[in-house]
């Protein structure tokens, strides 16, 4: 049941690199990450790759497999033909550090720019009462494992480095939507989503939704509703003003 | 000699899992400057993998629950070997720590009246585990991660900046600590390590170090644990002169995946059983009814009908034996497979498909569905899973003071979370780890802050000599690479894992453990020759070569302590000493190192406080304690 597969893996660092060919054994039930590990143990001891859980739970092992952003631990070898050459390259939207490892600090900076959950004043720990139906919407977004595949695939930054400054990407726009839908969050989120995180630059292509390994409906359930709420607010000067005034004292 | 980056902090937290992050929050809130260090990216620590839930006796589902019941369950689960003071603090403080998470933004599943929902789990008398589907660890780590960011945002606001300020609290991701440093008087002065990404070396000067490095599972072949679990914190504590206890107790989770081979060991959450799943052998029999041990007899259902009724009416029925503590279930599965009644790939069947409607399974166990579908091509709503024991958790760890988390013997050293020992005794109950992280993470942060305050700003110094020594050790794998005797670190690791799996695994025998110790000693000789190709930038071979040193010393403590303890209890099962012995319960085994040598000695347990003893029936205590330890017989009137 074993066979030898042809792999092409990008090897190199920030100064340059190239695709390197390997012939490597594959056994029944294995995933791409298993093959990368076999390369490490037998042919390329210093091949750099991130991983932790090997079960699609931590979002560490993101890479591009035949050009498509995926989790290596959740990509089964049985989805490829035995004679197919499998190309594994690092995420394209982020600067490469070494081999399959990229510098994803962009994402952590964006995370720091989203104001944290603001608990409602006067509610003590243990007093929170929430209906299951109300938590389900934001809960969908909290399934996010921060694999950053959506950040990698979104064309707003994938081909336009210059947009990174003003665009937080689907992962963090979704985080804003999550807080906006949190039944107890006390901050106004809609204005900042548009003005500071570049919600307007998203033209709802849904590429992010397609690659999300958690199957979160990023575009339909987070981005579009957020856009709609922003639009409603924009044309309603009273709500807009009311918010501004309410925000001051905090 | 290379350039070494240097930083100064008040408190250094090694580990960014639940324990480390909660400790960092506490230390920062006490006004200190804090660095958090982690081998992987921020938010990826092992805690992210936890599935089932956090145990806390909030009483939201069954109002009869309270800290006393939780304490009793924890002590029973640990077979009374637990540090009772830790078990007491844990049971009392867990609810507060969970509620606090909601104020940080966590969104748990809810009960009908809007409170945090709680689910059943093995060994817990009432539904007690707060959860978010089967991805509770993700919620925990993300919530704490976001709380850290929120504190950084507060720090920015305090100096009229926008966004986040990292001046008072910073996370150093993909950075591995290889050495702890002490001054002449034996107090902690800092820690030394390397950045995984660049290979650059770094020194953190700090008077207090909190170890929150998690467990040791990567020393075993079949494990639910990730590459991070190389026992670094355990080994650092030993090398710094502190002590480990209970290292013979390693938890084998009863239900890991067994097929396909590449995913063997990956966890199948206990919630499958908590939510109605049952175990069957190849004959279709629910075999757990045959494996209720004497200490638990009378507490579990004796017929399938009663067990099934319990899910609906827990007050009038006893729980099914599938929900016995993990050690019992793991041993039972092991016996069934040995007796030839296993499943095709050497496990047993875990069946929820025939017991619950598909939509309910999808709602309650979404990530299990996903995991089996994508990794094994099994639809758990339509067919049973195949499962078998997998190395999951280490009960043993750094010996600490229960109230402050201060490690034995080294001023300035603290430990919390899986790396700390005592809390879980000989066997941990599911859900009791996540709560342990929060309760003792916070206590460690406060404990470190109180210690730092006593220093009044005068911090122990690090010498240039210590730095050079640490640098030399860290770079050895490059120096030996060209030697003809150089060893492949990956091959050494595979040998170590096979040894531990085969000889110090779930069922242990004297000859096998002696053989294991011999093998480990010879691996210890070979490890310094582990050489690596390539440069220092993100070089996994180098990382593994350095981790091996830690795995070996930790494996030796496990094997040596296991050889000494001549009884079976919790996560330590001796084929040659199958009974639980009250004399042994009164003793802890303490591991230290002298140079390279692992030393294990017995240490008497501190007797349990009177008011805690009174929470149990005398009859039950008599199953665990020696006659001398039992409370005076009360005259019945
Ligand atoms: C699959 C799975 C499911 C589980 N489910 C549950 C559950 O439902 N309920 C429950 O209560 N428990 C569960 N557990 C157990 C629980 O998740 C762990 O015991 C717990 O998360 C450990 O947390 P921690 O904070 O101690 O360490 P971790 O979260 O493992 O974090 C350790 C940290 O230390 C860092 N580190 C280690 N060594 C070094 C070093 N040398 N230098 C720098 N940093 C270092 C790592 O990078 C990491 O950041 C589960 C475990 C597994 C494997
Ligand atoms: S839907 Fe918006 S955020 Fe998602 S990929 Fe398209 S443009 Fe980017
Ligand atoms: S939203 Fe989906 S694709 Fe994006 S980071 Fe989260 S899990 Fe990954
Ligand atoms: S290793 Fe965790 S998602 Fe792939």
């Amino acid at each position: 049941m074993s066979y030898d597969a042809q792999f092409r893996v990008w090897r190199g660092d920030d100064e340059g690199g190239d695709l390197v060919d390997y012939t490597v054994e594959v056994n029944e039930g294995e995933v791409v990450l298993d093959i990368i590990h076999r390369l490490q143990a037998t042919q390329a001891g210093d091949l750099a790759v991130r991983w932790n859980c090997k079960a699609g739970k931590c979002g560490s092992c993101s890479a591009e497999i035949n050009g498509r952003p995926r989790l290596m631990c959740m990509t089964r070898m049985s989805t490829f033909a035995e004679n197919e050459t499998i190309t594994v390259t690092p995420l394209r939207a982020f600067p490469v550090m070494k081999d399959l490892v990229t510098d994803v600090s962009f994402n952590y900076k964006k995370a720091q720019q989203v104001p944290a959950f603001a608990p409602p004043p006067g509610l003590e720990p243990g007093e929170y009462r929430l209906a299951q139906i109300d938590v389900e919407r934001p809960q969908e977004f909290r399934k996010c494992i921060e694999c950053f595949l959506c950040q990698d695939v979104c064309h707003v930054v994938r081909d336009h480095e210059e947009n990174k400054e003003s665009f937080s990407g689907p992962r963090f726009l979704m985080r804003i939507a999550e807080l906006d839908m949190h039944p107890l969050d006390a901050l106004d989120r809609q204005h900042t989503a548009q003005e500071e995180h570049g919600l307007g630059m998203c033209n709802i292509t849904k590429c992010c939704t397609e690659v999300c390994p958690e199957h979160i409906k990023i575009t339909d359930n987070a981005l579009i509703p957020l856009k709609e709420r922003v639009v409603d607010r924009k044309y309603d000067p009273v709500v807009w003003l009311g918010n501004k005034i309410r925000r001051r004292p905090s | 000699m290379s350039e070494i980056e240097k930083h100064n902090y008040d408190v250094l937290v090694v580990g960014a899992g639940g324990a480390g992050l909660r400790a960092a929050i506490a230390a920062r809130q006490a006004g200190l400057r804090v660095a958090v260090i982690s081998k992987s990216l921020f938010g990826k620590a092992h805690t992210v993998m936890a599935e089932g839930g956090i145990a806390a006796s909030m009483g939201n589902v069954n109002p009869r629950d309270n800290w006393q019941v939780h304490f009793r369950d924890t002590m029973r689960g640990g077979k009374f070997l637990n540090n009772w003071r830790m078990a007491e603090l844990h049971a009392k403080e867990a609810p507060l720590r969970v509620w606090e998470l909601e104020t940080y933004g966590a969104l748990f599943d809810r009960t009908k009246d809007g409170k945090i929902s709680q689910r059943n789990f093995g060994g817990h008398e009432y539904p007690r585990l707060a959860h978010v589907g089967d991805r509770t660890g993700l919620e925990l780590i993300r919530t704490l991660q976001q709380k850290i960011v929120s504190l950084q945002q507060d720090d920015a606001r305090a100096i009229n900046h926008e966004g986040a300020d990292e001046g008072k609290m910073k996370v150093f991701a993909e950075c591995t600590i290889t050495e702890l440093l002490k001054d002449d008087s034996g107090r902690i002065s800092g820690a030394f390590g390397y950045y995984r990404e660049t290979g650059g070396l770094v020194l953190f000067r700090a008077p207090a170090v909190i170890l929150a490095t998690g467990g040791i599972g990567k020393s075993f072949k079949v494990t639910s644990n990730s590459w991070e679990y190389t026992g670094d914190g355990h080994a650092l504590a030993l090398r710094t002169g502190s002590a480990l206890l209970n290292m013979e107790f390693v938890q084998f989770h009863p239900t890991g995946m067994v097929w396909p081979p590449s995913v063997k060991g990956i966890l199948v959450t206990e919630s499958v059983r908590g939510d109605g799943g049952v175990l069957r052998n190849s004959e279709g029999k629910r075999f757990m009814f045959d494996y209720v041990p004497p200490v638990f007899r009378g507490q579990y259902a004796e017929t399938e009908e009663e067990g099934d009724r319990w899910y609906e009416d827990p007050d009038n029925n006893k729980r099914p034996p599938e929900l016995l503590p993990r050690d019992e279930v793991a041993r039972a599965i092991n016996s069934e497979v040995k007796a030839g009644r296993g499943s095709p790939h050497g496990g047993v069947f875990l069946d929820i498909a025939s017991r619950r409607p598909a939509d309910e399974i999808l709602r309650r166990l979404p990530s299990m569905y996903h995991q089996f579908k994508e990794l094994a091509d099994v639809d758990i709503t339509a067919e049973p899973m195949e499962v078998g024991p997998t190395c999951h958790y280490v009960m043993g760890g750094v010996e600490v003071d229960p109230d402050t988390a201060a490690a034995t013997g080294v001023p300035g050293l603290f430990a919390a979370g899986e790396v700390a020992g005592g809390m879980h005794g000989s066997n941990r109950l599911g859900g009791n780890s996540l709560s342990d992280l929060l309760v003792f993470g916070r206590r460690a942060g406060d404990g470190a802050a109180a210690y730092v305050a006593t220093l009044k700003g005068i911090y122990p110094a690090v010498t240039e000599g210590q730095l050079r020594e640490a640098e030399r050790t860290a770079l050895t794998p490059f120096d030996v690479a060209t030697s003809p005797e150089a060893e492949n670190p990956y091959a050494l690791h595979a040998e170590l894992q096979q040894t531990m799996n085969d000889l110090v695994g779930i069922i242990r025998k004297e000859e096998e453990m002696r053989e294991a110790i011999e093998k480990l000693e010879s691996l210890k000789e070979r490890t310094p020759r582990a050489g690596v190709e390539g440069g220092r930038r993100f070089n996994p071979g180098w990382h593994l070569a350095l981790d091996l040193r830690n795995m070996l010393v930790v494996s030796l403590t496990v094997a040596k302590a296991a050889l000494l303890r001549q009884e079976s209890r919790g996560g330590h099962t001796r084929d040659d000493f199958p009974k639980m012995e009250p004399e042994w319960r009164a003793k802890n085994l303490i591991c230290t190192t002298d140079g390279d040598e692992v030393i294990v000695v017995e240490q008497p347990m501190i007797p349990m406080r009177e008011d805690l003893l009174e929470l149990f029936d005398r009859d039950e205590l008599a199953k665990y304690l020696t006659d001398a330890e039992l409370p005076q017989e009360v005259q019945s009137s």
Side-chain angles (χ1 to χ4, degrees), chain B residues 255-331:
Chain B
T255 59
M257 293 177 81
V258 295
W259 194 92
S262 70
V263 299
K264 190 162 179 168
I266 290 183
L267 194 76
V268 181
T269 175
E270 187 166 325
S271 330
V272 177
R273 282 169 286 140
D275 288 346
V278 296
L279 293 165
R280 294 187 208 278
N281 61 21
S282 60
E283 294 161 6
K285 179 169 177 198
R286 274 178 74 177
F287 57 85
M288 280 310 299
F289 287 93
D290 301 340
Y291 290 92
V292 182
V295 282
F296 290 116
R297 216 155 276 159
Q299 296 173 27
Y300 286 81
E302 279 162 34
T303 64
E304 295 191 18
E305 292 70 33
E306 179 175 16
D308 287 349
R309 282 197 305 270
W310 171 84
Y311 290 100
E312 297 304 318
D313 180 12
D315 291 345
N316 298 306
N317 293 286
K318 283 179 269 174
R319 56 184 39 233
E322 277 88 358
L323 292 176
L324 275 160
R326 291 177 175 170
D327 52 327
E328 310 290 351
V329 184
R331 270 193 300 272

Side-chain angles (χ1 to χ4, degrees), chain B residues 167-201:
Chain B
K168 296 206 165 79
M169 175 148 65
K170 186 168 159 116
V171 179
F172 293 82
E174 302 203 306
C175 178
T176 303
I177 295 301
T178 55
E179 228 69 71
L180 299 182
L181 307 171
K182 296 194 293 187
D183 73 352
D184 295 339
S185 62
R187 300 173 307 165
I188 287 290
S189 56
F192 178 91
Y194 63 87
Y195 288 107
R196 292 165 60 80
E197 293 169 353
T198 59
L201 303 176

Side-chain angles (χ1 to χ4, degrees), chain B residues 156-427:
Chain B
R157 213 164 299 132
I159 51 172
N160 282 319
H161 282 194
E162 287 198 13
D165 179 70
E166 295 185 331
K168 296 206 165 79
M169 175 148 65
K170 186 168 159 116
V171 179
F172 293 82
E174 302 203 306
C175 178
T176 303
I177 295 301
T178 55
E179 228 69 71
L180 299 182
L181 307 171
K182 296 194 293 187
D183 73 352
D184 295 339
S185 62
R187 300 173 307 165
I188 287 290
S189 56
F192 178 91
Y194 63 87
Y195 288 107
R196 292 165 60 80
E197 293 169 353
T198 59
L201 303 176
V202 53
L203 166 71
F204 297 90
R205 289 197 202 90
V209 169
I210 300 174
L211 292 173
T213 52
I216 67 162
K218 262 301 162 199
S219 297
F220 291 79
K221 188 168 172 209
V222 179
T223 176
S224 64
N225 295 172
S226 83
W227 65 268
E228 291 198 290
Y229 268 21
T230 51
D232 295 4
H234 292 79
L236 288 167
L238 285 174
R239 284 208 289 279
T240 318
S242 190
L244 308 183
L245 86 170
N246 292 351
M247 289 306 289
E248 63 276 34
F249 297 106
V250 177
Q251 180 169 76
F252 290 82
H253 194 291
T255 59
M257 293 177 81
V258 295
W259 194 92
S262 70
V263 299
K264 190 162 179 168
I266 290 183
L267 194 76
V268 181
T269 175
E270 187 166 325
S271 330
V272 177
R273 282 169 286 140
D275 288 346
V278 296
L279 293 165
R280 294 187 208 278
N281 61 21
S282 60
E283 294 161 6
K285 179 169 177 198
R286 274 178 74 177
F287 57 85
M288 280 310 299
F289 287 93
D290 301 340
Y291 290 92
V292 182
V295 282
F296 290 116
R297 216 155 276 159
Q299 296 173 27
Y300 286 81
E302 279 162 34
T303 64
E304 295 191 18
E305 292 70 33
E306 179 175 16
D308 287 349
R309 282 197 305 270
W310 171 84
Y311 290 100
E312 297 304 318
D313 180 12
D315 291 345
N316 298 306
N317 293 286
K318 283 179 269 174
R319 56 184 39 233
E322 277 88 358
L323 292 176
L324 275 160
R326 291 177 175 170
D327 52 327
E328 310 290 351
V329 184
R331 270 193 300 272
I333 294 178
N334 202 62
S335 305
E336 285 296 305
V337 175
K338 270 205 170 148
R341 294 188 292 269
S343 67
H345 298 103
V348 294
F349 295 106
L350 172 59
D351 171 25
I352 187 145
S354 75
R355 314 241 325 147
R356 296 286 180 264
D359 61 329
E360 186 181 328
I361 299 174
L362 278 175
R363 186 164 45 79
R364 301 193 63 116
L365 302 164
S367 72
M368 274 308 105
Y369 173 78
H370 197 67
Q371 180 175 319
F372 270 88
K373 191 84 200 137
E374 309 215 356
L375 294 176
D377 258 334
V378 167
D379 176 357
I380 68 168
T381 67
E383 49 194 320
M385 302 159 242
E386 276 187 77
V387 296
T390 177
C391 176
H392 184 58
Y393 185 89
V394 61
M395 271 66 73
V398 181
E399 186 183 32
V400 291
D401 171 61
D403 289 74
T404 62
T408 301
V410 184
L413 186 63
F414 298 79
E418 190 167 341
V419 68
M423 158 71 205
H424 305 285
S426 67
N427 173 53

Side-chain angles (χ1 to χ4, degrees), chain B residues 21-286:
Chain B
L21 296 183
R22 190 61 190 83
I25 291 166
R28 177 73 202 98
Q29 286 177 332
L32 300 186
R33 290 188 66 237
V34 184
V36 181
I37 303 171
S38 145
K39 291 208 282 193
S40 44
L41 289 172
F42 191 24
K44 311 289 183 201
H46 213 270
T47 299
V48 81
M49 293 160 69
E51 293 161 359
I54 312 181
S57 60
M58 296 179 286
N60 291 350
V61 172
N62 191 323
R64 294 195 212 179
D65 204 8
N66 55 41
W67 78 262
Q68 288 93 338
V69 188
H70 193 181
F71 171 79
R72 271 204 300 263
D73 289 345
T74 302
M75 294 299 295
R76 285 172 183 149
K79 303 268 164 53
F80 278 72
L81 198 85
N82 318 55
N83 178 312
W84 47 264
R85 173 65 178 160
M86 289 177 92
E88 177 196 8
L89 291 170
H90 169 258
K92 283 182 172 163
E93 294 175 5
L96 213 71
R97 297 282 83 78
V98 172
W99 286 323
E100 194 172 66
L101 291 180
E102 288 198 298
T103 70
Y104 299 173
L107 281 173
F108 291 101
D109 290 347
R110 318 304 298 183
T111 61
K112 285 206 177 63
D113 53 354
K115 296 179 183 167
I116 296 174
S117 170
Q118 301 189 262
R119 68 158 42 119
N120 284 307
F121 238 58
H124 293 282
E125 186 164 345
Y126 299 118
R128 189 176 283 147
L129 269 66
H131 57 92
V132 185
D134 51 5
R135 56 159 190 90
T136 313
L138 172 64
E139 186 68 14
L140 181 77
I141 201 125
R142 201 66 80 230
T143 299
L144 294 173
Q145 183 183 348
Q146 287 163 350
K147 178 64 181 178
I148 299 257
V149 167
S150 120
L151 293 173
Q152 291 173 330
Q153 290 172 346
D154 291 347
D155 285 340
R157 213 164 299 132
I159 51 172
N160 282 319
H161 282 194
E162 287 198 13
D165 179 70
E166 295 185 331
K168 296 206 165 79
M169 175 148 65
K170 186 168 159 116
V171 179
F172 293 82
E174 302 203 306
C175 178
T176 303
I177 295 301
T178 55
E179 228 69 71
L180 299 182
L181 307 171
K182 296 194 293 187
D183 73 352
D184 295 339
S185 62
R187 300 173 307 165
I188 287 290
S189 56
F192 178 91
Y194 63 87
Y195 288 107
R196 292 165 60 80
E197 293 169 353
T198 59
L201 303 176
V202 53
L203 166 71
F204 297 90
R205 289 197 202 90
V209 169
I210 300 174
L211 292 173
T213 52
I216 67 162
K218 262 301 162 199
S219 297
F220 291 79
K221 188 168 172 209
V222 179
T223 176
S224 64
N225 295 172
S226 83
W227 65 268
E228 291 198 290
Y229 268 21
T230 51
D232 295 4
H234 292 79
L236 288 167
L238 285 174
R239 284 208 289 279
T240 318
S242 190
L244 308 183
L245 86 170
N246 292 351
M247 289 306 289
E248 63 276 34
F249 297 106
V250 177
Q251 180 169 76
F252 290 82
H253 194 291
T255 59
M257 293 177 81
V258 295
W259 194 92
S262 70
V263 299
K264 190 162 179 168
I266 290 183
L267 194 76
V268 181
T269 175
E270 187 166 325
S271 330
V272 177
R273 282 169 286 140
D275 288 346
V278 296
L279 293 165
R280 294 187 208 278
N281 61 21
S282 60
E283 294 161 6
K285 179 169 177 198
R286 274 178 74 177

